[in-house]
Amino acid sequence: MIGAFYEHGLRGGYVEVEYADGRVTPLAAERWLRPIEGDEGVLARCGGPTLDVGSGPGRLTVALTRRGVFALGIDVTPLAVELTLRAGGLALQRCVFGPLPGAGRWAEALLTDGNIGIGGDPAALLRRMRQLVRPGGTVLTEVCPPGSKSSVDRIRLRYGGRAGDWFTWATVSADDIGPLARRCGFPHVEQWSVARRWFAALS
């Protein structure tokens, strides 16, 4: 059901994110169909085989492919994978916590567009990423601005009077990513910001 709501958003439909505390925000999934200011700083740091986790419609996977960098996107939503393939990228319908090709050999892995929140447990996700990238490899992740609060929320998607199932999603502040990364096996953390987006390279 979550995938169906997300696919509706990718097709341009209006989808909302409802929080258990009553907050409601638009999903605006169509923004992931085109380049976003700040992407270049991530792309420029990818020099070897790159795994794009939660790749959505594949804008970063495709951009890397066009630059001659081998990239594989993974996403749990069939339409997202289909859109990536149509655009010339390589993608599989997979969950990051399941079996994946190249585990332990990826030079870089991406967790952009809030995907550090996948599964609602950033520590578990980063430990999994540590297994996927090779020794000395880098995870490039997007985080919330300094001064914001890291959180784990219960959310669901809704549109047209229908609501999906509740699931957990996390956010990580730039203030917290360093200690979290070090606990998960990434001793080096570099942070930067572009166009009000905040990023961290974990290695």
Side-chain angles (χ1 to χ4, degrees), residues 164-188:
D165 297 329
W166 293 99
F167 61 99
T168 56
W169 196 266
T171 58
V172 177
S173 168
D175 298 325
D176 297 328
I177 189 60
L180 174 63
R182 286 186 281 273
R183 291 198 306 271
C184 297
F186 297 96
H188 306 292

Side-chain angles (χ1 to χ4, degrees), residues 31-81:
R31 70 187 183 276
W32 297 315
L33 292 166
R34 53 189 175 273
I36 301 174
E37 190 173 3
D39 285 354
E40 178 58 35
V42 174
L43 296 170
R45 287 169 168 80
C46 298
T50 300
L51 181 67
D52 187 1
V53 176
S55 53
R59 78 176 191 283
L60 297 179
T61 302
V62 172
L64 287 171
T65 301
R66 289 174 177 169
R67 293 175 181 221
V69 176
F70 180 81
L72 172 66
I74 60 167
D75 202 283
V76 297
T77 306
L79 178 61
V81 172

Side-chain angles (χ1 to χ4, degrees), residues 13-125:
Y14 181 74
V15 178
E16 295 177 325
V17 180
E18 179 185 3
Y19 291 77
D21 64 8
R23 288 176 292 146
V24 177
T25 62
L27 178 64
E30 72 277 3
R31 70 187 183 276
W32 297 315
L33 292 166
R34 53 189 175 273
I36 301 174
E37 190 173 3
D39 285 354
E40 178 58 35
V42 174
L43 296 170
R45 287 169 168 80
C46 298
T50 300
L51 181 67
D52 187 1
V53 176
S55 53
R59 78 176 191 283
L60 297 179
T61 302
V62 172
L64 287 171
T65 301
R66 289 174 177 169
R67 293 175 181 221
V69 176
F70 180 81
L72 172 66
I74 60 167
D75 202 283
V76 297
T77 306
L79 178 61
V81 172
E82 181 182 336
L83 291 172
T84 303
L85 296 173
R86 279 189 207 166
L90 180 63
L92 296 173
Q93 186 182 348
R94 300 284 177 86
C95 170
V96 66
F97 293 105
L100 292 173
R105 300 194 300 274
W106 295 100
E108 285 88 27
L110 309 183
L111 285 173
T112 56
D113 303 325
N115 284 331
I116 195 169
I118 290 173
D121 187 342
L125 179 59

Side-chain angles (χ1 to χ4, degrees), residues 103-107 109 123-139 181 184-187 202-203:
R105 300 194 300 274
W106 295 100
L125 179 59
L126 288 183
R127 291 188 187 103
R128 173 58 172 156
M129 302 303 289
R130 178 66 274 172
Q131 296 172 345
L132 294 173
V133 297
R134 65 195 185 192
T138 301
V139 172
C184 297
F186 297 96
L202 319 178
S203 61

